[in-house]
Amino acid sequence: MSEPSPAGNFRPADSPSYESILQCMRCGFCLAVCPTYALTNRERSSPRGRAALARAVAEGRLEFTPAVGEEAYFCLDCKACTTACPAGVRVGTIMEFCRSQEQGFRPPSLPAGALRDFILKRMLPSPALMEGSLLPLRLYQRLGVQWAVRRFGINRFLPGALAKMEGILPALEKPLRLELPEVIPAQGKKRGRVAFFLGCAMSLVFPEVSRQTARILSQQGFEVVTPREVKCCGAPHLAEGDRDTARRLALTNLDLFLGLEADAIVTDCAGCGCALKEYEELLEGHADHGRLGRFRAKVRDVSEFLAGAGIRTEELRPVPMSVTYHEPCHLVHGQGLSGPPRHLIGKIPGVELREMKESNWCCGMAGSFALKEREASRKLLERKLAHVRATGADALVTANPGCHLQLAWGVRELGMKQPVLHVVELFGRALPA
Ligand code: SF4
Ligand code: SF4
């Protein structure tokens, strides 16, 4: 008789640890904060239910059924349950492992698998390929085709996921990676040297945000080093269950950024920051502990870094407007950062921060969730925007490209007037010209 697997009915490679699942004591404190439970009122779509499913698989009482795989992908990985959980159970992370399992148990069909592999294993690891792939989209916008598609409602006839992708596509500029100087000197009295982790989405879709980040860091007295060899942080791979490629990318970034000898590694993307802070766990057994610890100790979200360093305010100009702040899940729950972005906003003369209800609830983007679970995603977005509207604020501020895309699309769809800004774009308005 063969020995039972220590992973139960999970495949041994990349299975969630039994100890992490066992921590759940079924108290139910997480139920009130879980967006998918709020949407469905279904136990299996709650953190407690998902932990119970994983436990049953780990104990060999349940096969890894399609329903387990579905729940892994229906989880937003928003990590709100971990913030609420007295035992710190990381259901989102357990579900990330379950996504890897799903890929192993039920690989996608040949064409879908080939497309997935191309995106995850070829395109995302290659900044040049990603930049090249945006060229047709930039032409689509430059030649006025996008205007016509939207003006004449042609996008109504596109398949659902494609229509959503078209809808959230913002005006594209030239990617920032090759344009941003590799070294930007500190202004005034130098306070240190930071390595800027330029995320793919920021470079490609929101270059102005990262331009402002580099400008602010320099104005605040830091030399900014932005390596062009930077790779994707691996967050999309973890979300899609490709832990091998995520590890490869993480190892490259680890070597690159430790080699820069900077005081801190700063990012303006909440998703990247969260992934970088989890390299220690992802690379356990694949890289030296001391190096992983040194890397982890340096990673900072830009608001966390500036709040920690102390913000120079002498030269700031007033920005007379009211704003409300949507907290990205990967900042508030993934990194425990709620105060620093508000601190940054509070330092801008003239800005009034109007808090919205449920500011720390997911906006419904959650990576590919917004494309695959469009109805659920839309309901979460409408709930969020109702709270935004109730504040009457002039602008909506956030700190993550995924949220930024989703919120800007929702604002347009609902005919609201508020512009959506990253917190550094708002802060950038206060800098001297
Ligand atoms: S995940 Fe945490 S909060 Fe939710 S039931 Fe389990 S122990 Fe309680
Ligand atoms: S990560 Fe979010 S969606 Fe997933 S179980 Fe936790 S609260 Fe629910």
Side-chain angles (χ1 to χ4, degrees):
M1 210 172 94
S2 62
E3 287 285 311
S5 160
N9 284 341
F10 284 121
R11 295 158 70 96
D14 285 329
S15 58
S17 87
Y18 185 47
E19 293 69 32
S20 70
I21 298 169
L22 261 193
Q23 282 174 323
C24 176
M25 52 203 176
R26 304 195 51 74
C27 64
F29 285 173
C30 53
L31 299 182
V33 302
C34 174
T36 56
Y37 182 63
L39 282 174
T40 60
N41 220 6
R42 197 170 59 186
E43 177 71 11
R44 73 169 227 196
S45 302
S46 75
R48 184 174 66 185
R50 290 182 172 119
L53 284 176
R55 182 170 178 172
V57 176
E59 291 177 349
R61 292 182 284 109
L62 179 70
E63 294 295 326
F64 194 94
T65 59
V68 182
E70 272 165 32
E71 276 315 326
Y73 279 98
F74 191 54
C75 170
L76 298 151
D77 197 8
C78 70
K79 305 177 195 293
C81 49
T82 305
T83 304
C85 176
V89 181
R90 295 163 65 199
V91 178
T93 305
I94 295 170
M95 290 300 109
E96 277 180 9
F97 279 99
C98 287
R99 292 176 186 188
S100 285
Q101 294 285 318
E102 174 68 7
Q103 293 299 321
F105 278 112
R106 279 172 285 279
S109 65
L110 205 59
L115 180 65
R116 178 179 182 276
D117 280 358
F118 175 74
I119 293 173
L120 293 176
K121 296 183 196 306
R122 292 281 311 282
M123 201 170 94
L124 286 173
S126 163
L129 206 54
M130 273 195 285
E131 289 160 2
S133 72
L134 280 200
L135 209 61
L137 290 175
R138 284 170 56 207
L139 278 177
Y140 166 74
Q141 295 184 330
R142 291 290 136 75
L143 299 176
V145 185
Q146 181 178 52
W147 175 85
V149 164
R150 292 184 178 182
R151 175 75 179 76
F152 301 113
I154 297 168
N155 44 0
R156 279 202 314 269
F157 303 106
L158 296 174
L162 204 58
K164 175 85 191 249
M165 279 163 79
E166 203 292 321
I168 64 176
L169 189 68
L172 296 171
E173 295 172 42
K174 258 177 90 177
L176 188 62
R177 187 180 61 97
L178 298 178
E179 196 192 281
L180 199 66
E182 285 191 271
V183 179
I184 300 177
Q187 289 176 27
K189 190 168 180 302
K190 185 172 171 183
R191 301 162 79 193
R193 168 182 156 96
V194 299
F196 181 25
F197 186 94
L198 181 62
C200 328
M202 286 308 197
S203 171
L204 297 173
V205 183
F206 293 114
E208 185 52 29
V209 171
S210 288
R211 212 174 275 125
Q212 290 301 327
T213 300
R215 179 171 166 245
I216 292 165
L217 288 166
S218 157
Q219 188 271 344
Q220 289 287 313
F222 298 94
E223 182 183 41
V224 184
V225 185
T226 311
R228 290 182 175 166
E229 304 79 20
V230 63
K231 296 281 186 193
C232 169
C233 64
H237 305 80
L238 293 174
E240 291 302 322
D242 180 4
R243 298 184 76 80
D244 280 342
T245 311
R247 271 190 211 102
R248 262 199 301 121
L249 295 168
L251 283 168
T252 307
N253 285 328
L254 183 79
D255 287 345
L256 177 64
F257 279 85
L258 281 181
L260 295 175
E261 303 283 347
D263 305 323
I265 300 164
V266 177
T267 173
D268 52 18
C269 168
C272 296
C274 196
L276 297 175
K277 288 179 178 179
E278 288 177 1
Y279 275 8
E280 237 178 333
E281 191 179 336
L282 176 69
L283 294 178
E284 200 185 323
H286 296 263
D288 174 70
H289 255 292
R291 300 184 76 231
L292 286 170
R294 275 208 306 287
F295 182 87
R296 170 65 190 88
K298 288 179 188 233
V299 178
R300 297 279 184 282
D301 180 75
V302 61
S303 64
E304 178 187 19
F305 177 74
L306 290 171
I311 297 168
R312 284 180 181 166
T313 54
E314 313 84 69
E315 295 178 9
L316 298 186
R317 302 179 305 182
V319 182
M321 67 193 295
S322 58
V323 302
T324 187
Y325 173 58
H326 159 71
E327 307 193 63
C329 301
H330 284 86
L331 202 58
V332 58
H333 303 304
Q335 302 180 56
L337 296 175
S338 202
R342 290 182 167 86
H343 180 78
L344 210 60
I345 294 169
K347 288 289 178 189
I348 307 170
V351 168
E352 177 200 351
L353 175 60
R354 298 187 188 169
E355 293 289 354
M356 69 170 93
K357 259 178 77 184
E358 296 180 347
S359 63
N360 62 2
W361 270 60
C362 180
C363 63
M365 184 65 180
S368 58
F369 184 93
L371 302 178
K372 292 177 185 158
E373 303 285 350
R374 289 183 299 282
E375 204 188 318
S377 167
R378 189 169 181 121
K379 283 184 184 157
L380 292 173
L381 179 61
E382 284 175 357
R383 179 171 175 146
K384 171 67 63 182
L385 291 178
H387 296 323
V388 171
R389 193 182 263 130
T391 66
D394 300 326
L396 169 54
V397 176
T398 190
N400 187 54
C403 308
H404 201 145
L405 286 171
Q406 169 90 333
L407 294 168
W409 175 75
V411 160
R412 274 199 310 275
E413 282 281 294
L414 298 187
M416 293 167 64
K417 298 279 176 271
Q418 287 90 346
V420 181
L421 302 170
H422 189 291
V423 66
V424 296
E425 287 180 290
L426 181 69
F427 196 89
R429 292 183 180 190
L431 292 196

